[in-house]
Amino acid sequence: MAKEAKKDNRVIRVAVDGELKEKVVAVNRVVKTTKGGRIFSFSAIVVVGNENGIVGQGLGKANEVRAAITKGIEDAKKNLIKVPVRKGTIPHEQFAKFGAAKVLVKPAAPGAGVIAGASMRSVLESAGVKDVLAKSLGSPNPHNVVKATLKALSMLREPAEVAFGRSIKLNKVFNG
């Protein structure tokens, strides 16, 4: 079965055969007060990825935590993007903003690990990035931080794509 993922207004075919791993980033309890008492419901933000360059996020809302997580997983599978991962890190530095949340992701040397906050770490590990430096600026809201991180990852470009766009050779992209 194949799902489609959007990246910069282009549709990318992504093969999905149950190999996606899910991580729950945050669960939020919502209370609605009525004349009959309080009604509790839950919202869960979930990140799924195959740890090989494909990642997505989803939001699920339900009256039970497990149902909210399940709905979030289904939503995340509909919002997959392809991330260029080269030698365990990202090709270049990227800054992105979503709402009041701002994120900065930078490539790191091999062995550095994922140096990031909890919300960003879930996204980066699900995408398969092994070495990266990341900083969350602005709002600590996990919903917006996850969306800003995915926006930054979707803005990353492969070196071959940059070379083709500039009409230069691939080694000139790296060596100037």
Side-chain angles (χ1 to χ4, degrees), residues 8 12 44 60 64 81 87 90 93 100 107 109 124 140 154 158 172:
D8 300 331
I12 300 169
E64 296 176 11
I81 62 166
K87 298 179 183 174
I90 56 176
E93 174 178 320
L124 294 167
S154 69
E158 287 275 3
K172 190 150 177 136

Side-chain angles (χ1 to χ4, degrees), residues 40-64:
F40 295 98
S41 64
F42 298 90
S43 67
I45 186 159
V46 182
V47 175
V48 299
N50 69 348
E51 297 180 354
N52 196 18
I54 295 171
V55 67
Q57 66 88 26
L59 176 66
K61 297 179 181 182
N63 290 331
E64 296 176 11

Side-chain angles (χ1 to χ4, degrees), residues 84-95 104-115 124 129-135 153 156-157 174:
V85 180
R86 297 185 57 83
K87 298 179 183 174
T89 189
I90 56 176
H92 58 85
E93 174 178 320
Q94 189 64 53
F95 178 83
L104 174 67
V105 290
K106 290 181 172 185
V114 179
I115 301 171
L124 294 167
V129 181
K130 303 280 186 261
D131 303 305
V132 68
L133 303 172
K135 182 66 183 167
L153 293 177
L156 293 172
R157 295 169 41 190
F174 293 110

Side-chain angles (χ1 to χ4, degrees), residues 73-87:
I73 292 168
E74 294 305 312
D75 187 35
K77 288 179 181 177
K78 296 175 187 172
N79 300 314
L80 296 174
I81 62 166
K82 179 94 174 86
V83 179
V85 180
R86 297 185 57 83
K87 298 179 183 174

Side-chain angles (χ1 to χ4, degrees), residues 118-165:
S119 302
M120 292 179 72
R121 178 182 299 274
S122 297
V123 175
L124 294 167
E125 287 176 347
S126 294
V129 181
K130 303 280 186 261
D131 303 305
V132 68
L133 303 172
K135 182 66 183 167
S136 173
L137 308 161
S139 172
N141 180 349
H143 294 271
N144 288 345
V145 171
V146 166
K147 290 176 183 172
T149 306
L150 281 166
K151 185 175 177 183
L153 293 177
S154 69
M155 290 163 50
L156 293 172
R157 295 169 41 190
E158 287 275 3
E161 185 182 336
V162 174
F164 180 76

